[in-house]
Amino acid sequence: AATYAGLPRAGRAGAGEPDFDYLLGLAALESGEPARATVAFERVLAVAPQHLGARLDMARAHVALGQDGLAREALQTLRTMDPPPAAARAIQSYLEVLDRRADPTRWSAWVEAGMGYDTNANNSTSASSVFVPALGVAVNIGTSSTARKDLFAEARAGGDVRHEINPRVALVAGGEAGLRFYDDVDDLDTGDYGGYVGVETKHGRDVVGARFRYGRTRLDYDPYRDIVALELTWRRPLSAQTQLVSFAQHSALRYQQPADKPNDSNLLLFGTGVQHALDAAGRTLLSIG
């Protein structure tokens, strides 16, 4: 962004030169200014219409601006220009993004399974006794209240759906469920299920969302704990493949068995981080938060 901020002043002398205009457009695009990037790329293509880099990055700018028709036209033109393999893969990735965006309703689903060994399945102390100062003696702890080790197997599945009402507003919903089974300590078998509904809105470069989430955990097939949560999220693109993500979440944890009621609690979380896509289609993300 700092580099781009300094370029327009120098641009009075450099504007009209393809190499300079291409770097100016690229700096604008990476600084989250796709509209200004298109102006620079247009100057490049007016002088050098076979400039593959300018055509590809012009398509990227159109994608960022939501101008999918122009982006698709530019990418299809690029395909006819015999691009090198790396550029061809990037073109295909962007066309796949446009295909997904063409449908106002998109969904995804996933499943996973695994097995392992839990050294403390019941989240308890490994000590066999504790010293009670008020009594001045050590009290033995029953084996059911100390750490229990066991093999387990688990499976999870989930999915989500997104429907765009218009370019600025989208409805979202999803859910997931999972099971964990232990070999010996089967009284600790757990299951959980839940889901969410929400809305996302675009305000210029910013995307703001709100979700209502509900989840239930069952322990040994009996209701154990419910979670009701309200989530607020905010995303802002920092470049074509990098975005800032922040959130706030308020959760109410309510235990279902009378003996566990003293553990009822409320939890308030705040967080922020950065996500960077390692490929043009955004299939692989690096996140820091």
Side-chain angles (χ1 to χ4, degrees):
T3 303
Y4 172 70
L7 281 173
R9 291 190 290 273
R12 296 173 183 174
E17 298 178 5
D19 290 342
F20 176 86
D21 282 332
Y22 177 65
L23 292 176
L24 177 64
L26 194 58
L29 183 58
E30 294 300 329
S31 299
E33 298 287 349
R36 295 184 179 182
T38 61
V39 176
F41 292 142
E42 283 171 357
R43 291 201 297 264
V44 175
L45 296 173
V47 178
Q50 301 301 311
H51 196 300
L52 294 180
R55 286 194 175 276
L56 179 57
D57 289 321
M58 174 72 90
R60 290 175 55 203
H62 287 316
V63 171
L65 290 167
Q67 299 170 340
D68 291 3
L70 292 174
R72 187 180 296 277
E73 181 180 343
L75 292 167
Q76 290 173 341
T77 299
L78 270 169
R79 271 185 160 178
T80 67
M81 299 173 66
D82 193 24
R89 290 193 295 271
I91 292 167
Q92 182 59 35
S93 294
Y94 276 106
L95 286 171
E96 291 174 1
V97 170
L98 293 175
D99 288 341
R100 291 196 297 270
R101 283 174 29 166
D103 187 349
T105 302
R106 301 192 298 273
W107 65 274
S108 63
W110 54 270
V111 294
E112 64 181 28
M115 59 186 303
Y117 183 73
D118 195 335
T119 61
N120 194 350
N122 54 338
N123 298 314
S124 297
T125 177
S126 59
S128 60
S129 64
V130 295
F131 182 77
V132 182
L135 301 178
V137 297
V139 177
N140 292 329
I141 300 176
T143 56
S144 63
S145 299
T146 57
R148 302 163 71 184
K149 306 174 182 180
D150 201 7
L151 294 167
F152 69 86
E154 62 183 2
R156 299 194 66 80
D160 56 69
V161 62
R162 175 188 178 89
H163 177 72
E164 293 186 355
I165 298 176
N166 58 51
R168 291 187 56 190
V169 181
L171 300 178
V172 294
E176 64 179 270
L179 294 169
R180 173 176 283 201
F181 300 102
Y182 286 95
D183 185 31
D184 293 325
V185 291
D186 51 13
D187 56 317
L188 297 178
D189 289 348
T190 58
D192 64 87
Y193 56 86
Y196 68 86
V197 294
V199 61
E200 290 185 351
T201 60
K202 293 182 179 179
H203 305 273
R205 297 169 56 199
D206 299 322
V207 178
V208 179
R211 295 184 181 187
F212 174 80
R213 186 181 296 274
Y214 168 79
R216 165 163 283 193
T217 299
R218 302 180 72 90
L219 179 63
D220 197 21
Y221 304 100
D222 292 325
Y224 177 62
R225 182 182 63 200
D226 287 357
I227 296 180
V228 178
L230 177 63
E231 303 173 351
L232 302 176
T233 59
W234 169 56
R235 302 198 307 272
R236 163 168 282 197
L238 302 178
S239 70
Q241 291 179 236
T242 305
Q243 65 175 345
L244 174 70
V245 181
S246 299
F247 75 91
Q249 180 189 73
H250 183 272
S251 302
L253 288 74
R254 298 295 180 263
Y255 289 81
Q256 300 303 302
Q257 301 301 320
D260 297 320
K261 279 294 183 182
N263 294 322
D264 287 355
S265 60
N266 298 318
L267 179 64
L268 182 61
L269 296 175
F270 297 94
T272 189
V274 175
Q275 290 183 346
H276 177 72
L278 300 180
D279 58 277
R283 288 186 292 250
T284 306
L285 295 176
L286 173 66
S287 298
I288 301 173

